[in-house]
Amino acid sequence: MRIGIVGFGNFGQFLAKTFVKHGHAVSATSRTDYTACANALGVSFTTDVNEFCRAQPDCVIFSTSIMSLDQVVSGIPLNTLIRENPRADDRQLFVDVLSVKIYPKEYLLRILPADRTDLLCTHPMLALRVERTPGKDCPWCMRKFGLPTSSLTSF
């Protein structure tokens, strides 16, 4: 799977490392230049959001701070990022990993085209410092929107 991460701070890097380890092709973009870190992790990185969008990843993860979500997403050319006419089995999945659920969910549902994308809102309940908690034995709650059934799950 081609996974794109928007926001490559501590948590974005943690996710990228995990996805690369499982064989996924990961690309990332961030306002800060993390090229050296991304190269060390085996991640394709660019600060050019247009270049990131042209790759049209299968899954796009928003890993920004809640305070910067509007500013970051408003700078993304969604018409370039989102596939024009995907097959039913080829819709892009957008994932929110922000810590607050109501606002990001409502905002992303408002701007993402429901006929071409799916949204998965998650709440990673990890320790405050990701580098001390590698994700093992930490619960992760999620809410699915636009997928066949909506349910709240924790694993």
Side-chain angles (χ1 to χ4, degrees):
M1 177 181 284
R2 294 176 305 134
I3 300 172
I5 300 174
V6 177
F8 204 61
N10 287 339
F11 197 66
Q13 292 170 31
F14 162 74
L15 292 171
K17 185 186 311 182
T18 303
F19 292 133
V20 167
K21 180 174 143 183
H22 289 282
H24 299 287
V26 178
S27 60
T29 189
S30 204
R31 294 179 292 182
T32 302
D33 188 351
Y34 289 104
T35 302
C37 174
N39 288 341
L41 295 174
V43 172
S44 170
F45 182 85
T46 182
T47 56
D48 181 348
V49 72
N50 291 300
E51 179 182 336
F52 173 83
C53 291
R54 282 190 295 273
Q56 295 186 327
D58 303 313
C59 175
V60 178
I61 300 172
F62 293 111
S63 182
T64 66
S65 71
I66 187 67
M67 301 296 281
S68 66
L69 180 67
D70 279 1
Q71 182 183 5
V72 171
V73 175
S74 67
I76 296 173
L78 295 176
N79 59 328
T80 303
L81 176 62
I82 299 171
R83 297 177 187 142
E84 189 60 36
N85 295 305
R87 298 182 319 270
D89 64 346
D90 195 33
R91 294 163 53 104
Q92 285 166 289
L93 175 64
F94 285 78
V95 181
D96 146 38
V97 296
L98 284 67
S99 61
V100 177
K101 288 298 109 221
I102 294 172
Y103 174 73
K105 177 199 85 163
E106 290 174 351
Y107 176 72
L108 294 170
L109 284 173
R110 192 171 58 247
I111 66 165
L112 295 173
D115 62 329
R116 295 182 282 152
T117 62
D118 294 313
L119 176 63
L120 178 64
C121 295
T122 72
H123 187 92
M125 294 193 274
L126 307 175
L128 293 176
R129 296 192 49 94
V130 172
E131 58 272 8
R132 282 193 272 158
T133 305
K136 186 175 183 181
D137 301 323
C138 293
W140 193 304
C141 293
M142 62 188 73
R143 179 85 187 180
K144 302 178 278 187
F145 297 93
L147 298 172
T149 58
S150 290
S151 64
L152 183 63
T153 307
S154 178
F155 66 91

